Amino acid sequence: MNLLFLSFLASALAVGVQGHSGQSEDHGHSGHGSSDPFNHAGGVDWNLHKWEKPGPNDSRGPCPGLNTLANHGFLPRNGKNITVQNILDAVNDGFNFRPIDIMVVAAKVALLSTDNVNYVTLEESALYGNIEHDTSLSRSDYALGDNIHFDETIYQTLASSNPGVDYYNITSAAQVVEQRLIDDKIVNPGLINTIKEITFRTRESAFYLSTMGNVTAGTAPKKFVDILFREERLPLQEGWRPSPVPIDDSNFPALQSAVFNATKWEPSGKVICPWIRDQPEGPVFFF
Ligand code: HEM
Ligand SMILES: *[C@@H]1O[C@H](CO)[C@@H](O)[C@H](O)[C@H]1NC(C)=O
Ligand SMILES: *[C@@H]1O[C@H](CO)[C@@H](O)[C@H](O)[C@H]1NC(C)=O
Ligand SMILES: *[C@@H]1O[C@H](CO)[C@@H](O)[C@H](O)[C@H]1NC(C)=O
Ligand SMILES: *[C@@H]1O[C@H](CO)[C@@H](O)[C@H](O)[C@H]1NC(C)=O
Ligand SMILES: *[C@@H]1O[C@H](CO)[C@@H](O)[C@H](O)[C@H]1NC(C)=O
């Protein structure tokens, strides 16, 4: 392990790190609009953030969270000209997820997926090796053809997890992460599975548990998670509300760490070192 690797890990894992970037403002939870609890649930004016199906020229990408935020107008509905600040505001306003370090880093790294210095489109964020990785929960691998669009067959691993109860949790999320790797090794023997991929994969699992459910308990109703993935819609009609407690460094890293710790993960394959692609035409850096 060299220093670059360690500093990469420090920012990528951010597990157990008590952040200092939490914003003190309590956006969106001032309670006004309580006379109209549905249209102002969570302090958001949902009349301004209705779900709309994306049009044929709207850009969407591999992240069900960002696609959903665009479908509700927290991000530009066309999915284009997105800035780092747009992403941080959208995640804050739509999910009550504060701009903690991992979120700021993710948003900045996404800007590397394009040659445009200021803006990224959701589709561009699918650049393989930037954030986009193999062995997703709901998308195929880049090498297999479509790493962007929702794939119900792949999603079945998650959809059928935690049988007998109506919620997903830390245990089931970790089992899904493991099972996807077992299955994906068969169809894509060249897949990349380093500490970077498992970090992102367990973080993305913590994203669906925390934003659709209870970040402290690490549980989320299956119905809500399934709608986020399948319809890229916030399940307001079904009873979902933004997390009543801000998702931040006081709760999110512990959840991610719990999912990570619940997996029996080992690196595998030809590429063992974490890597980053720093612009569409490369180069690729290994750590
Ligand atoms: C709280 C906000 C967010 C939520 C709820 C969320 C949710 C998710 C989930 C559940 C996945 C896994 C999809 C899968 O494996 O099939 C994912 C993947 C992804 N997310 Fe997000 N995400 C959020 C923020 C972000 C941010 C800030 C970025 C940066 C632009 C981002 C970019 C991506 C990308 C590129 C992927 C694809 C990774 C892959 O599967 O290869 N996400 N996201
Ligand atoms: C989408 O873009 C095409 C090509 O520029 C254009 O002809 C079409 O009218 C656009 N469709 C919509 C719904 O904006
Ligand atoms: C928006 O993004 C497109 C490419 O995605 C670019 O051509 C256009 O110039 C951008 N608009 C602004 C205002 O930057
Ligand atoms: C997750 O739910 C399953 C099914 O109820 C249960 O067996 C398991 O203990 C739960 N995991 C955690 C961490 O609570
Ligand atoms: C979330 O879970 C925690 C710990 O299990 C519990 O104390 C809290 O009341 C739950 N929050 C909600 C909104 O259900
Ligand atoms: C995960 O394991 C690490 C290393 O053993 C430990 O420091 C950390 O507290 C664990 N995380 C959780 C949430 O239990």
Side-chain angles (χ1 to χ4, degrees):
M1 282 199 200
N2 60 30
L3 272 178
L4 259 178
F5 175 64
L6 289 173
S7 67
F8 170 84
L9 271 187
S11 62
L13 283 167
V15 166
V17 174
Q18 288 303 311
H20 41 78
S21 63
Q23 311 291 297
S24 52
E25 295 162 86
D26 185 15
H27 288 280
H29 287 269
S30 48
H32 40 240
S34 54
S35 61
D36 190 1
F38 181 79
N39 284 332
H40 291 89
V44 176
D45 185 349
W46 292 103
N47 287 318
L48 300 176
H49 290 285
K50 289 198 195 310
W51 184 85
E52 282 171 31
K53 191 181 154 73
N57 297 338
D58 293 336
S59 179
R60 292 293 181 268
C63 173
L66 298 180
N67 288 349
T68 298
L69 292 169
N71 291 344
H72 282 273
F74 289 102
L75 285 171
R77 289 186 184 270
N78 69 4
K80 298 173 189 171
N81 302 95
I82 294 175
T83 65
V84 170
Q85 193 64 54
N86 284 157
I87 293 173
L88 299 179
D89 289 345
V91 166
N92 186 77
D93 297 346
F95 289 132
N96 203 22
F97 198 126
R98 296 289 182 265
I100 58 176
D101 286 351
I102 56 139
M103 201 42 88
V104 174
V105 171
K108 286 182 173 177
V109 169
L111 259 289
L112 297 176
S113 69
T114 174
D115 286 324
N116 189 306
V117 293
N118 294 314
Y119 301 105
V120 65
T121 70
L122 291 178
E123 189 173 349
E124 286 168 338
S125 78
L127 182 71
Y128 181 60
N130 177 267
I131 295 173
E132 209 285 311
H133 53 75
D134 293 328
T135 323
S136 298
L137 301 167
S138 67
R139 270 73 175 158
S140 188
D141 292 350
Y142 176 73
L144 301 178
D146 184 356
N147 61 341
I148 294 186
H149 299 96
F150 176 78
D151 181 322
E152 178 66 40
T153 305
I154 289 170
Y155 187 65
Q156 275 305 307
T157 306
L158 173 45
S160 58
S161 68
N162 227 20
V165 294
D166 61 2
Y167 57 88
Y168 303 120
N169 66 11
I170 292 164
T171 315
S172 69
Q175 285 166 347
V176 171
V177 163
E178 289 181 356
Q179 188 61 45
R180 281 290 302 129
L181 187 56
I182 291 167
D183 294 342
D184 203 31
K185 280 177 178 170
I186 298 167
V187 291
N188 184 11
L191 67 82
I192 298 186
N193 171 40
T194 75
I195 186 75
K196 174 187 161 183
E197 282 74 25
I198 191 66
T199 301
F200 287 10
R201 293 172 63 222
T202 49
R203 178 173 304 161
E204 289 154 7
S205 300
F207 278 161
Y208 74 72
L209 289 174
S210 60
T211 60
M212 291 300 105
N214 182 324
V215 61
T216 319
T219 56
K222 288 180 175 176
K223 188 166 62 173
F224 296 170
V225 175
D226 292 348
I227 289 170
L228 182 86
F229 274 95
R230 289 185 171 130
E231 301 177 39
E232 303 193 329
R233 175 168 73 74
L234 295 173
L236 285 153
Q237 291 95 306
E238 291 78 7
W240 175 87
R241 297 292 179 266
S243 174
V245 294
I247 303 168
D248 61 19
D249 274 330
S250 74
N251 47 40
F252 188 81
L255 176 58
Q256 178 179 349
S257 158
V259 177
F260 181 90
N261 286 2
T263 65
K264 299 185 298 283
W265 174 86
E266 289 179 0
S268 62
K270 285 186 189 147
V271 179
I272 295 296
C273 296
W275 59 304
I276 181 93
R277 187 153 162 201
D278 83 335
Q279 54 178 331
E281 49 290 332
V284 168
F285 291 113
F286 294 91
F287 294 90

